[in-house]
């Protein structure tokens, strides 16, 4: 299973601008040193979770990601360590099963509704979906659509009628947030599933309509289709004619 066309990581934009989804297909990705460092920090975190927290040997080595060579400094180790420690603490508190880099597929919502959860804890009465973020822009956990989609996938794959709540957590040690580096929101499963069918599913279907709508806003900032977007092109033409 490769990447979804309707990537949950772009859910905010996909839901705001239906036209962006298919227009983004085939556009070049935007790898950078920062995104490559994030990939490496995830890799170290994953290794640590699978190997009893043993990551110190990475220090001073170099890792490769997306064509970049990333030196492993104290920062990479500290980011991965905080993530590993949080996941292990939650697993010890909740019990149950820990899944690492787990594919989460909410196929009852839509077949393209899937992604990869960094860490998922399936406990007897609840599920935790934990995501490591490594960017410098603080990511909000409130109504975080990417994690709500992962939560729906986790619920569909692992949920039982005993699971009444599901908690989504962002671990982001790389920037300041007033609520700290670890931020969580808990949803009741009934409300989350209602959101999935009543809000998310229609938004996904709108993306695959023959003539999807385009809508501009702050979500345009990281849109891979910006250079070919009909709304942006119109703006440029207007500016050129206006001069
Ligand atoms: S640039 Fe903005 S309006 Fe254009 S496709 Fe992307 S998100 Fe939609």
């Amino acid at each position: 299973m490769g990447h979804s066309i309707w990537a949950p990581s772009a859910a905010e934009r996909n839901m705001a601008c239906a036209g962006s989804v298919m227009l983004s297909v085939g556009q070049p990705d935007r790898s950078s040193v920062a995104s490559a460092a994030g990939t490496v920090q995830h890799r170290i975190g994953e290794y640590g979770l699978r190997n009893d927290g043993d990551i110190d040997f990475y220090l001073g080595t170099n890792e490769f990601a997306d064509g970049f060579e990333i030196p492993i400094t104290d920062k990479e180790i500290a980011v991965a360590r905080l993530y590993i420690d949080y996941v292990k603490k939650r697993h010890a508190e909740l019990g149950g099963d820990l899944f690492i880099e787990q594919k989460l597929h909410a196929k009852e919502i839509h077949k393209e509704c899937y992604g990869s959860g960094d860490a998922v804890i399936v406990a007897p009465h609840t599920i935790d979906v934990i995501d490591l973020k490594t960017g410098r822009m603080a990511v909000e956990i409130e109504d975080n659509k990417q994690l709500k989609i992962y939560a729906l996938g986790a619920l569909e794959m692992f949920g039982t009628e005993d699971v009444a709540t599901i908690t989504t957590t962002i671990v982001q040690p790389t920037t300041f947030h007033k609520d700290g580096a670890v931020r969580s929101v808990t949803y009741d499963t009934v409300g989350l599933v209602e959101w999935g069918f009543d809000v998310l599913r229609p938004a996904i279907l709108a993306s695959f309509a023959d003539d999807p709508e385009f809508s501009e806003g702050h979500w345009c900032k990281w849109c891979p289709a910006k250079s070919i977007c009909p709304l942006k092109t119109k703006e440029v033409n207007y500016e050129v004619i206006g001069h």
Side-chain angles (χ1 to χ4, degrees):
M1 191 183 279
H3 289 294
S4 166
I5 297 171
W6 208 96
S9 58
E12 191 78 36
R13 180 176 64 244
N14 293 349
M15 294 180 79
C17 175
S20 68
V21 175
M22 293 311 292
L23 202 63
S24 296
V25 173
Q27 293 303 305
D29 70 359
R30 295 157 168 256
S31 295
S32 63
V33 179
S35 65
T39 301
V40 167
Q41 288 157 4
H42 275 83
R43 189 184 299 158
I44 298 172
E46 178 184 354
Y47 181 90
L49 284 177
R50 293 191 193 280
N51 293 278
D52 209 22
D54 177 18
I55 58 170
D56 288 342
F57 70 91
Y58 274 105
L59 189 62
T61 64
N62 293 312
E63 285 286 308
F64 291 86
D66 306 330
F68 295 95
E69 185 173 4
I70 306 295
I72 307 304
T73 67
D74 288 335
K75 179 187 171 183
E76 278 66 40
I77 299 295
V79 168
R81 174 67 62 206
L82 196 133
Y83 165 69
I84 293 164
D85 287 351
Y86 178 75
V87 173
K88 288 175 78 171
K89 178 172 85 76
R90 280 298 281 171
H91 190 204
E93 285 167 2
L94 295 174
D97 296 317
L98 169 62
F99 298 90
I100 302 159
E101 289 297 321
Q102 173 65 45
K103 295 286 177 201
L104 298 171
H105 196 177
K107 55 180 180 301
E108 285 188 25
I109 302 293
H110 193 279
K111 68 180 172 54
E112 286 295 331
C113 198
Y114 63 86
S116 181
D118 291 337
V120 180
I121 300 167
V122 180
H125 300 290
T126 193
I127 296 175
D128 261 30
V129 175
I130 302 166
D131 201 44
L132 173 61
K133 298 285 187 200
T134 56
R136 292 173 64 185
M137 294 262 295
V139 181
E140 298 299 335
I141 187 64
E142 292 290 338
D143 193 36
N144 185 295
K145 294 174 179 61
Q146 177 187 11
L147 290 191
K148 285 167 80 173
I149 292 168
Y150 289 170
L152 282 167
L155 208 49
E156 189 173 320
M157 294 173 72
F158 302 112
T160 65
E161 38 185 54
D162 291 336
V163 173
T165 61
I166 185 155
T167 297
T168 57
T169 296
I170 284 173
V171 178
Q172 188 175 23
T174 49
T175 195
F176 172 80
H177 191 286
K178 65 178 174 46
D179 298 328
V182 180
R183 310 180 282 279
S184 298
V185 166
T186 298
Y187 299 96
D188 76 274
T189 53
V190 174
L192 186 68
V193 169
E194 280 174 3
W195 176 81
F197 281 102
D198 297 347
V199 180
L200 176 61
R201 186 175 147 77
I204 297 176
L205 292 175
S207 305
F208 295 112
D210 287 342
D211 192 12
E213 284 189 25
F214 289 83
S215 173
E216 289 179 282
H218 64 85
W219 48 85
C220 294
K221 187 171 181 188
W222 304 110
C223 179
K226 211 187 311 192
S227 64
I228 55 168
C229 167
L231 299 189
K232 300 292 181 191
T233 313
K234 217 184 279 176
E235 267 173 28
V236 172
N237 288 342
Y238 178 79
E239 278 168 26
V240 171
I241 291 163
H243 277 101

